Each structure stands twice: as C-alpha cells, then as structure tokens.
Amino acid sequence: MAGNPLPIAVLISGNGSNLQAIIDAIARGEVPAVITLVVSNNADAHGLERARRAGLPVRVLDHRDWPDRESYDRALMEAIDASGARLVVLAGFMRILSDPFVEHYRGRLLNIHPSLLPRYKGLNTHARVLAAGEREHGASVHFVTPALDDGPVIVQAPVPVRPGDTPETLAQRVHQVEHVIYPLAVKWFAEGHLGMDPEGKRVLWDGRPLDHPRQVRVESVWAA
C-alpha cells in the first residue's frame, strides 16, 4: 500500500498511550496509515490532548448524551464512517460495544488486551495474574467479535512476572509491549496481510489461516 496510507479511526477513553505509540510509529514511517479521527466518550481524556498536539481531528461523543447503547453506537458509527476510516482501533475505549457496531466493522475492528488471551479475559488482569502465581503475563492484539475479549488473536508479547511485582509494576511492563505490538498489528493490516475468516474464529495472513498468534519478544522487558 505504498503511497496509499490506510485511513484509521482510534477510539479512546483515557490516557491514550497506545494512541501515542501509533501516532509515533506513523510519524517514523513505520506504519503506512493516517489517523482520520480520534474519538473519546470522555471529554477529559488525556489522549485527546495527545491527538490535538499531533494535529489530528478529534470528536467527543459522551455516551451519557444518548438514551441507550444502540443509539450511541449509531452516532459513533456515523462519525467514524464520515471520516473515511477503513480500520477502527480500540485503544483503551472503556465501552462495551453493541453487536450491530461490531458487525458493521467485522474484520476491521482491533482491540488490545492486557493478558495472553484466551487467559484472563475481562478486567483487573494484572492483579489476577499475580494472585494465581503465574510466571508469565503479557498483551494480545485481537480482532473484535461480539463476545468480550473473544475474537481471534493476531499477535502476543509475553512479559515476565518477577518476585515482588505489584499490579502497578506489572502493568508498566505490559504497557511497554503493548506499545510495540499494537502499531505492528496496524502496520500488518495496512499492508494488507491481515484478515478474519467468515466465522470470526481465525486470523488470516495473506488469505491463509494462522494456526497460532504471532509472537513478539520485547527484549527490554526481559532484561534483568
């Protein structure tokens, strides 16, 4: 897709560090994409300031201004589609999306989750990993399907769990790998490598099913 960057929309609710990682990767020429819209349901999200500093179009769509999830999601779809985006990237968007929204962007809706899926779906993953005595944690980028955190996984990066870790220290390590693998997944999509099978069960790479998620080792999180 050289010379034809992929238009993407990024949805955020908070700090926007994964948004920043994608902004930076695009600026370095590593990801052949252009962010056509950043949307937040939270007017105070710091990620909006990151977007404004980068000169990106931003919209605040506060979900409390709509009577129900379906009407909010319709407004969200209208804003995204009006921007021309062909890929939607969830970067800390703290909303459960309705089935019609997910189906509308089927095969072009990505999310990042702080665990090695399918393990530890849902919230509070760092504390749950520590409570279970795990020796390894990590992050996963996946296609979004209607079931929560259940779409096929594209890429994962593990991180070590160290003696004395707290949820906060473990989260810092997970964030480091998120900032590597999320821009990488967007790059692969923009280059035309990624797809999802019709059943929403498997990732396609150049049209062929992947048997396992791609694995990335971020050496900085493994250094002593």
Side-chain angles (χ1 to χ4, degrees):
M1 296 187 64
N4 185 25
L6 178 77
I8 67 174
V10 184
L11 278 53
I12 63 171
S13 293
N15 184 46
S17 66
N18 275 306
L19 166 65
Q20 188 67 59
I22 294 168
I23 290 171
D24 293 345
I26 291 172
R28 292 192 299 266
E30 297 170 1
V31 177
V34 58
I35 299 173
T36 59
L37 184 64
V38 175
V39 183
S40 180
N41 64 320
N42 172 19
D44 296 324
H46 179 62
L48 290 171
E49 180 57 30
R50 295 178 187 271
R52 292 184 182 109
R53 286 202 305 263
L56 301 176
V58 301
R59 287 282 303 274
V60 175
L61 296 176
D62 190 330
H63 57 275
R64 293 168 294 189
D65 294 339
W66 277 263
D68 52 45
R69 188 180 306 277
E70 288 71 22
S71 59
Y72 176 77
D73 283 5
R74 283 196 297 272
L76 193 57
M77 284 189 286
E78 289 172 5
I80 293 167
D81 292 348
S83 79
R86 291 171 48 206
L87 175 68
V88 180
V89 176
L90 306 179
F93 189 62
M94 303 305 291
R95 294 275 301 166
I96 294 175
L97 295 163
S98 63
D99 288 0
F101 184 97
V102 173
E103 288 300 324
H104 183 70
Y105 297 107
R106 183 180 180 84
R108 52 194 187 102
L109 179 60
L110 302 184
N111 186 43
I112 193 159
H113 183 73
S115 81
L116 297 174
L117 291 171
R119 307 187 73 183
Y120 300 102
K121 298 177 183 180
L123 301 175
N124 303 316
T125 62
H126 312 308
R128 290 159 59 202
V129 163
L130 292 173
E134 301 280 8
R135 299 178 65 181
E136 195 172 76
H137 190 24
S140 307
V141 179
H142 64 97
F143 283 109
V144 177
T145 56
L148 183 65
D149 299 331
D150 198 50
V153 178
I154 299 162
V155 60
Q156 295 179 317
V159 303
V161 178
R162 297 196 174 114
D165 260 334
T166 65
E168 291 74 25
T169 60
L170 192 51
Q172 291 174 3
R173 215 170 297 128
V174 171
H175 286 155
Q176 288 183 55
V177 301
E178 287 181 357
H179 299 162
V180 173
I181 65 173
Y182 217 177
L184 189 58
V186 175
K187 167 184 163 69
W188 291 339
F189 191 98
E191 291 174 342
H193 294 299
L194 291 180
M196 186 173 73
D197 75 352
E199 291 76 34
K201 300 294 185 185
R202 302 181 76 179
V203 173
L204 303 179
W205 181 271
D206 292 340
R208 303 182 61 147
L210 281 182
D211 291 332
H212 305 285
R214 306 197 84 174
Q215 300 293 315
V216 172
R217 182 179 171 96
V218 180
E219 293 298 338
S220 60
V221 303
W222 292 90

